[in-house]
């Protein structure tokens, strides 16, 4: 099935004489029965790599692969390359699932973006046990980064070395195990180990709400500018862009422009537009907002100098694959945050992305 044209199944489904209630129920479950929007393959329509977060489970689904391989040229592991999956309770490493993602990317000629090495949410027991001995802790910290980033050196084009370092409200930086031991030096220390592990990967800081919260963006940029002053090997900034459909026009563009003023590469790294909020907005208005924001984000990235256009990644392949359709974030199970609906059909947001990216 070509993901950008209605599949036989989709046509049959759409043609079924469904009672209105069932039709509405299908639509409410997020299975868009509306006519798909003819859209060229996204990766052919943009002057930058177009990526998707993928999972080992998704790769077992032929339709998922069809949408992925038709539209995307870069992948990020949704979960499999994170500490919660790799670091075992006894302190050893398991790369089985991470290797499956890397192998799939290699076999299908997809760029691989590594995500993520250090994240404030993790406080593994094997590290907690060393927190009182800075030298031993740093050996373990460095060993983990060297092992993970080193394993994919030569394949990964970039890494989210530190994920979400800024406090939720933008007032300072996250408290976390890493900061408890190293202070904020945990960030440059992680970047230095990542650089030793992989001399060629673009090394990123990655965070969210940089579009909707100028204070958080300012705090993020203060950290970036300090790292640049210190000569830390930072090469790129990821703005996750998990947004709501009522986000003001221009907010994403302003964030991309300001982040790009650092001269670093920019990755719209986890784009999705939840339809779970705001509640009083109609579904139609939310889908229109989703398309508006997809176009704005694509335009903003395309407007950067070529050297700064790292990529645009949607956080999932089809709506039903999204983290926003799985517990604990699933809401009523009808969210439709991505460019392709549950059936793998292109949505208005996909066509809007193509318009914004400048594609034919
Ligand atoms: O698949 C296993 C299952 O076998 C096991 O029984 C179960 C036990 O808890 O875990 C399952 O793995 C879950 C995994 O998603 C795959 O579904 C993990 O528990 C769960 O923690 C993991 O959640 C991911 C989350 O990050 C935490 O890593 C989400 O899928 C992922 O979309 C989300 O992505 C984050 C980015 O990394 C950073 N930015 C925000 C974004 C959304 O939260």
């Amino acid at each position: 099935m070509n993901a950008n044209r209605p599949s036989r199944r989709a046509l049959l489904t759409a043609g079924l004489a469904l009672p209105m209630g069932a039709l509405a129920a299908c639509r409410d479950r997020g299975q868009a029965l509306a006519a798909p929007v003819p859209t060229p393959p996204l990766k052919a329509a943009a002057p930058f790599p177009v990526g998707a977060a993928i999972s080992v489970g998704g790769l077992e689904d032929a339709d998922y692969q069809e949408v992925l391989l038709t539209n995307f040229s870069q992948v990020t592991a949704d979960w499999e390359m994170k500490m919660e999956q790799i670091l075992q309770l006894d302190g050893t490493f398991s790369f089985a699932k991470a290797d499956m993602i890397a192998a799939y990317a290699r076999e299908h000629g997809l760029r691989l973006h590594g995500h993520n090495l250090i994240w404030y949410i993790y406080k593994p027991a094997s590290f907690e046990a060393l927190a009182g001995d800075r030298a031993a802790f740093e050996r373990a910290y460095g060993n983990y980064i060297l092992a993970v980033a080193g394993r994919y050196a030569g394949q990964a084009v970039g890494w989210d070395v530190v994920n979400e370092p800024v406090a939720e409200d933008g007032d300072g930086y996250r408290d976390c195990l890493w900061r408890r031991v190293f202070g904020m030096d945990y960030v440059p220390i992680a970047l230095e180990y990542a650089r030793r592990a992989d001399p060629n990967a673009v090394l990123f800081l990655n965070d969210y709400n940089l579009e909707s919260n100028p204070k958080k963006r300012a705090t993020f940029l203060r950290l970036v500018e300090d790292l640049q002053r210190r000569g830390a090997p930072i090469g790129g900034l990821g703005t996750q862009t998990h947004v709501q459909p009522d986000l003001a026009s221009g907010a994403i563009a302003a964030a991309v422009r300001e982040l790009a003023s650092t001269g670093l590469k920019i990755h719209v790294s986890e784009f999705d537009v939840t339809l779970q909020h705001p509640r009083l907005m109609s579904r139609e208005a939310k889908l229109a907002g989703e398309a508006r924001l997809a176009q704005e984000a694509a335009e903003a990235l395309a407007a950067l100098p070529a050297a700064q256009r790292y990529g645009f990644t949607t956080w999932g392949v089809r709506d039903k694959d999204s983290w926003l359709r799985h517990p604990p974030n699933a809401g009523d199970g009808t969210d439709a945050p991505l460019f392709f609906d549950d059936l793998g059909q292109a949505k208005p947001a996909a066509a809007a992305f193509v318009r914004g990216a400048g594609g034919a």
Side-chain angles (χ1 to χ4, degrees):
M1 178 197 83
N2 180 319
N4 299 52
R5 278 198 297 277
S7 67
R8 188 175 59 81
R9 179 185 320 121
L11 289 172
L12 285 173
T13 308
L16 282 176
L18 291 172
M20 284 314 292
L23 190 61
C26 285
R27 190 169 55 244
D28 289 347
R29 280 201 305 277
Q31 279 195 6
L33 291 175
V37 180
T39 308
L42 302 189
K43 63 186 178 182
F48 43 75
V50 183
I54 64 170
S55 67
V56 166
L59 297 179
E60 293 163 7
D61 175 334
D63 288 345
Y64 177 103
Q65 287 200 63
E66 171 81 26
V67 178
L68 174 64
L69 298 177
T70 302
N71 291 285
F72 300 99
S73 60
Q74 180 169 303
V75 291
T76 302
D78 172 276
W79 173 58
E80 293 82 354
M81 288 192 168
K82 292 174 180 171
M83 190 177 275
E84 66 185 89
Q85 168 60 29
I86 291 174
L87 182 61
Q88 303 307 295
L89 290 175
D90 62 2
T92 60
F93 306 147
S94 168
F95 290 103
K97 290 190 174 172
D99 285 350
M100 292 166 77
I101 296 283
Y104 186 86
R106 208 166 34 247
E107 287 155 18
H108 293 86
L110 300 166
R111 285 160 48 101
L112 175 67
H113 179 77
H115 174 83
N116 57 51
L117 294 172
I118 298 298
W119 194 3
Y120 77 90
I121 69 169
Y122 298 138
K123 38 185 179 295
S126 57
F127 274 101
E128 287 272 20
L130 301 174
D133 178 345
R134 191 193 189 287
F137 190 97
E138 181 170 347
R139 282 195 296 276
Y141 190 74
N143 183 44
Y144 178 81
I145 295 170
L146 290 168
V148 178
R151 190 175 184 87
Y152 306 105
Q155 180 182 4
V157 291
W159 270 98
D160 291 334
V161 176
V162 174
N163 193 49
E164 303 171 5
V166 180
E168 182 68 28
D169 61 2
D171 193 359
Y173 301 96
R174 299 261 189 201
D175 288 325
C176 59
L177 171 60
W178 324 116
R179 188 181 177 189
R180 207 168 86 216
V181 175
F182 296 122
M184 283 305 290
D185 280 353
Y186 87 91
V187 178
I189 291 170
L191 287 164
E192 293 294 347
Y193 277 109
R195 174 54 71 237
R196 274 175 50 190
D198 187 340
N200 302 307
V202 181
L203 304 182
F204 284 82
L205 294 193
N206 186 52
D207 217 326
Y208 65 88
N209 285 355
L210 303 181
E211 312 79 18
S212 56
N213 184 338
K215 179 180 177 183
K216 186 169 186 180
R217 184 165 76 235
T219 304
F220 183 80
L221 282 168
R222 275 200 303 278
L223 173 58
V224 172
E225 286 148 14
D226 179 56
L227 290 166
Q228 289 180 298
R229 268 193 304 275
R230 298 168 61 165
I234 182 167
L237 303 178
T239 181
Q240 295 181 13
T241 323
H242 295 290
V243 293
Q244 294 188 183
D246 61 338
L247 180 65
S249 289
I252 295 175
V256 168
R257 274 196 307 273
E258 195 173 4
L259 294 171
S261 69
T262 60
L264 298 173
K265 293 183 185 298
I266 303 303
H267 185 196
V268 175
S269 56
E270 307 184 15
F271 185 88
D272 55 28
V273 184
T274 182
L275 304 190
Q276 296 183 46
H277 307 287
R279 294 197 181 287
L280 295 181
M281 203 173 182
S282 73
R283 191 170 180 88
E284 287 66 24
K286 289 175 185 175
L287 286 166
E290 181 178 90
R292 169 176 62 85
L293 295 168
Q295 180 163 339
E296 178 178 325
E299 278 169 355
L301 193 62
L304 296 183
Q308 288 188 270
R309 301 194 293 248
Y310 178 80
F312 186 116
T313 296
T314 61
W315 204 244
V317 177
R318 300 162 303 185
D319 286 337
K320 68 179 178 181
D321 308 310
S322 168
W323 66 292
L324 292 166
R325 289 280 292 276
H326 300 133
N329 309 292
D332 65 2
T334 66
D335 209 342
L338 298 171
F339 290 164
F340 296 92
D341 68 15
D342 288 3
L343 301 178
Q345 302 175 126
K347 295 158 60 184
F353 169 85
V354 169
R355 286 195 300 275

